[in-house]
Amino acid sequence: MNKRNKLNTIFIIVAAAAIVLACSGGGDQLAEANKRVDDANKKIEEVNALITKTEAQNQILFGANIQTVAQLNYYKDRMRGTAKDIVDSYEKANSTLKEVSKIFDDASRLNVSDKYKEYVKLKSDEFAKRAEAADIRKGNAQAFIEIDSPRTMTQK
C-alpha cells in the first residue's frame, strides 16, 4: 500500500468515525430520556405507597357512624391529628406527582422517536391529572378539620 492509499484509508476511517459520532447524538438523548423515566418510576413507587397508606387512613376517618353533635365533637377531637396527617400526605403526593409529570414532560422534549415522545407526553398528562386528584382528595380531610356541625359536614 502506498502512502497515498494509507492517507485515504485513514481519512475514510476518521470521516466514518465523525459520522458515527454525529449520528449517535440521538442515542445519548434516548439514554437520557430512559434515565429520566427510571427516576420518575422510582418516585411513582414512593407516591403510590404514600397514597395507599393515606387512602386507608381516609377510609378510617370517614368510616365512623356519627349521629349527634356530641359524637361529632368527640370524634373530631380524637381524629384531628389523623386528618392533619391525611392533608399533609395528600399535599406531598400532589407535589411528587407534579414533579413526576414534569420529568415525563422534560423527557418528551428530548431528541427521541415520535412514539417515545408521545408515550412520555401521555404519561406527563396522566400524572398531572393524578396530582389534581390528590389535591381534591386532600379537601375531604381539610373539610373534616373545618366542620363544626353535621349540617356543615354534609354541605362540605
Side-chain angles (χ1 to χ4, degrees):
M1 214 179 191
N2 67 27
K3 190 173 184 177
R4 184 172 173 93
N5 285 344
K6 284 182 184 179
L7 287 174
N8 284 340
T9 303
I10 291 172
F11 176 75
I12 290 171
I13 291 171
V14 170
I19 291 170
V20 167
L21 287 173
C23 292
S24 68
D28 289 340
Q29 294 234 306
L30 180 60
E32 177 62 25
N34 286 334
K35 181 178 173 280
R36 291 179 189 202
V37 168
D38 286 343
D39 182 41
N41 286 334
K42 288 175 188 166
K43 291 180 184 299
I44 291 167
E45 287 178 24
E46 293 169 10
V47 79
N48 283 345
L50 176 63
I51 289 173
T52 298
K53 175 185 158 245
T54 305
E55 284 296 318
Q57 288 178 310
N58 211 30
Q59 291 297 321
I60 292 168
L61 181 67
F62 290 104
N65 185 14
I66 306 295
Q67 300 293 323
T68 67
V69 172
Q71 287 175 334
L72 175 64
N73 290 334
Y74 173 76
Y75 190 69
K76 276 186 62 176
D77 287 342
R78 206 174 103 224
M79 299 300 286
R80 185 177 308 276
T82 300
K84 176 77 172 108
D85 288 345
I86 291 169
V87 169
D88 292 345
S89 293
Y90 277 127
E91 285 176 351
K92 182 177 180 183
N94 174 276
S95 175
T96 302
L97 290 165
K98 284 180 180 178
E99 186 180 344
V100 167
S101 175
K102 183 177 180 338
I103 291 169
F104 279 118
D105 187 57
D106 289 347
S108 77
R109 297 175 194 282
L110 295 174
N111 184 20
V112 293
S113 73
D114 289 342
K115 286 211 181 277
Y116 196 97
K117 283 183 185 193
E118 182 181 356
Y119 167 76
V120 291
K121 184 61 180 147
L122 288 171
K123 294 304 276 183
S124 174
D125 294 346
E126 172 191 349
F127 286 99
K129 290 295 182 189
R130 286 183 66 188
E132 289 175 24
D135 196 46
I136 290 168
R137 294 289 289 159
K138 172 189 82 172
N140 293 336
Q142 188 65 45
F144 176 86
I145 294 169
E146 297 169 359
I147 59 176
D148 56 0
S149 72
R151 180 179 297 151
T152 305
M153 181 171 68
T154 303
Q155 291 172 346
K156 289 198 178 227

